[in-house]
Amino acid sequence: MSDDRARQSVNHAQVERGRQAREQYEQTSELAPAIERFKRSSELLDLVTACHTFVAAVGRVVPGPRGRAVSPEERSLLHENIARCRATLHWMEHAVDTGVVDVDDALARLLRGE
Protein backbone atom coordinates (compact mmCIF):
# COMPACT_ATOMS: atom_id res chain seq x y z
CA MET A 1 0.00 0.00 0.00
CA SER A 2 1.87 2.99 -1.26
CA ASP A 3 -1.17 5.28 -0.82
CA ASP A 4 -0.95 6.94 2.61
CA ARG A 5 -4.71 7.46 2.85
CA ALA A 6 -5.41 3.81 2.08
CA ARG A 7 -2.83 2.68 4.64
CA GLN A 8 -4.34 4.99 7.30
CA SER A 9 -7.84 3.75 6.51
CA VAL A 10 -6.76 0.12 6.82
CA ASN A 11 -4.91 0.85 10.05
CA HIS A 12 -7.93 2.66 11.47
CA ALA A 13 -10.24 -0.22 10.49
CA GLN A 14 -7.91 -2.75 12.15
CA VAL A 15 -7.76 -0.74 15.37
CA GLU A 16 -11.53 -0.31 15.39
CA ARG A 17 -12.10 -4.03 14.77
CA GLY A 18 -9.77 -4.84 17.67
CA ARG A 19 -11.57 -2.40 19.96
CA GLN A 20 -14.95 -3.89 19.07
CA ALA A 21 -13.67 -7.44 19.61
CA ARG A 22 -12.30 -6.46 23.03
CA GLU A 23 -15.61 -4.85 24.03
CA GLN A 24 -17.56 -7.89 22.91
CA TYR A 25 -15.20 -10.19 24.80
CA GLU A 26 -15.52 -8.09 27.96
CA GLN A 27 -19.31 -8.22 27.72
CA THR A 28 -19.72 -11.92 26.89
CA SER A 29 -16.77 -13.90 28.25
CA GLU A 30 -17.04 -15.77 31.52
CA LEU A 31 -13.35 -15.02 32.06
CA ALA A 32 -13.70 -11.25 31.67
CA PRO A 33 -14.35 -10.54 35.40
CA ALA A 34 -11.33 -12.60 36.44
CA ILE A 35 -9.15 -10.87 33.87
CA GLU A 36 -10.37 -7.48 35.08
CA ARG A 37 -9.51 -8.41 38.69
CA PHE A 38 -6.06 -9.56 37.54
CA LYS A 39 -5.57 -6.29 35.63
CA ARG A 40 -6.54 -4.24 38.69
CA SER A 41 -4.20 -6.30 40.89
CA SER A 42 -1.41 -5.73 38.39
CA GLU A 43 -2.06 -1.98 38.41
CA LEU A 44 -1.99 -1.98 42.22
CA LEU A 45 1.31 -3.86 42.19
CA ASP A 46 2.70 -1.29 39.75
CA LEU A 47 1.86 1.48 42.24
CA VAL A 48 3.38 -0.45 45.13
CA THR A 49 6.49 -1.11 43.04
CA ALA A 50 6.78 2.57 42.11
CA CYS A 51 6.65 3.51 45.80
CA HIS A 52 9.19 0.86 46.75
CA THR A 53 11.53 1.91 43.92
CA PHE A 54 11.31 5.57 44.96
CA VAL A 55 11.96 4.84 48.64
CA ALA A 56 14.85 2.48 47.84
CA ALA A 57 16.48 4.96 45.44
CA VAL A 58 16.15 7.88 47.84
CA GLY A 59 17.47 5.76 50.72
CA ARG A 60 20.50 4.86 48.61
CA VAL A 61 21.19 8.37 47.23
CA VAL A 62 20.45 10.79 50.10
CA PRO A 63 23.40 9.73 52.32
CA GLY A 64 25.82 10.24 49.38
CA PRO A 65 26.58 13.96 49.74
CA ARG A 66 27.12 13.72 53.52
CA GLY A 67 29.00 16.77 54.76
CA ARG A 68 28.90 18.47 51.35
CA ALA A 69 27.57 22.00 51.13
CA VAL A 70 24.70 22.42 48.69
CA SER A 71 24.72 25.60 46.64
CA PRO A 72 21.63 27.82 46.57
CA GLU A 73 20.99 26.82 42.91
CA GLU A 74 21.25 23.12 43.77
CA ARG A 75 19.00 23.58 46.79
CA SER A 76 16.42 25.40 44.65
CA LEU A 77 16.48 22.65 42.03
CA LEU A 78 16.11 19.94 44.66
CA HIS A 79 13.23 21.78 46.35
CA GLU A 80 11.42 22.09 42.99
CA ASN A 81 11.79 18.36 42.40
CA ILE A 82 10.75 17.51 45.95
CA ALA A 83 7.61 19.60 45.42
CA ARG A 84 6.88 17.61 42.24
CA CYS A 85 7.36 14.34 44.14
CA ARG A 86 5.13 15.54 46.98
CA ALA A 87 2.40 16.64 44.54
CA THR A 88 2.61 13.30 42.75
CA LEU A 89 2.29 11.42 46.03
CA HIS A 90 -0.73 13.51 47.04
CA TRP A 91 -2.31 12.80 43.64
CA MET A 92 -1.61 9.08 44.06
CA GLU A 93 -3.07 9.08 47.56
CA HIS A 94 -6.18 10.93 46.35
CA ALA A 95 -6.59 8.46 43.46
CA VAL A 96 -6.30 5.47 45.79
CA ASP A 97 -8.78 6.93 48.29
CA THR A 98 -11.36 8.20 45.80
CA GLY A 99 -10.79 6.37 42.52
CA VAL A 100 -10.52 9.75 40.78
CA VAL A 101 -7.34 9.81 38.68
CA ASP A 102 -7.87 13.10 36.86
CA VAL A 103 -4.98 15.56 36.89
CA ASP A 104 -5.94 19.19 37.43
CA ASP A 105 -4.20 21.93 35.44
CA ALA A 106 -2.01 23.08 38.32
CA LEU A 107 -0.71 19.57 38.98
CA ALA A 108 -0.13 18.95 35.28
CA ARG A 109 1.96 22.13 35.05
CA LEU A 110 3.91 21.20 38.17
CA LEU A 111 4.62 17.70 36.89
CA ARG A 112 5.83 19.15 33.59
CA GLY A 113 8.17 21.42 35.54
CA GLU A 114 6.43 24.66 34.61
Side-chain angles (χ1 to χ4, degrees):
M1 283 186 283
S2 60
D3 182 7
D4 287 342
R5 290 184 99 149
R7 186 173 36 253
Q8 288 175 345
S9 293
V10 169
N11 186 30
H12 178 72
Q14 288 173 331
V15 169
E16 184 61 23
R17 185 180 311 151
R19 185 191 62 74
Q20 289 173 354
R22 185 186 72 243
E23 285 179 359
Q24 181 181 6
Y25 178 81
E26 290 171 351
Q27 293 172 358
T28 61
S29 174
E30 295 175 6
L31 296 176
I35 291 170
E36 183 60 27
R37 283 192 305 274
F38 177 76
K39 181 180 169 189
R40 291 181 64 79
S41 295
S42 176
E43 291 167 347
L44 175 68
L45 286 175
D46 287 345
L47 288 172
V48 170
T49 300
C51 291
H52 176 73
T53 301
F54 173 77
V55 169
V58 170
R60 190 174 55 254
V61 173
V62 167
R66 182 176 299 149
R68 179 182 172 275
V70 178
S71 73
E73 294 82 14
E74 292 170 325
R75 184 176 294 114
S76 176
L77 178 63
L78 287 169
H79 280 281
E80 288 174 19
N81 281 283
I82 290 167
R84 290 172 54 197
C85 290
R86 188 174 289 120
T88 301
L89 291 171
H90 284 295
W91 172 45
M92 180 180 167
E93 189 173 41
H94 178 73
V96 167
D97 290 346
T98 66
V100 177
V101 297
D102 299 337
V103 178
D104 65 22
D105 291 337
L107 177 59
R109 285 192 304 278
L110 182 65
L111 295 177
R112 287 192 305 262
E114 296 176 0

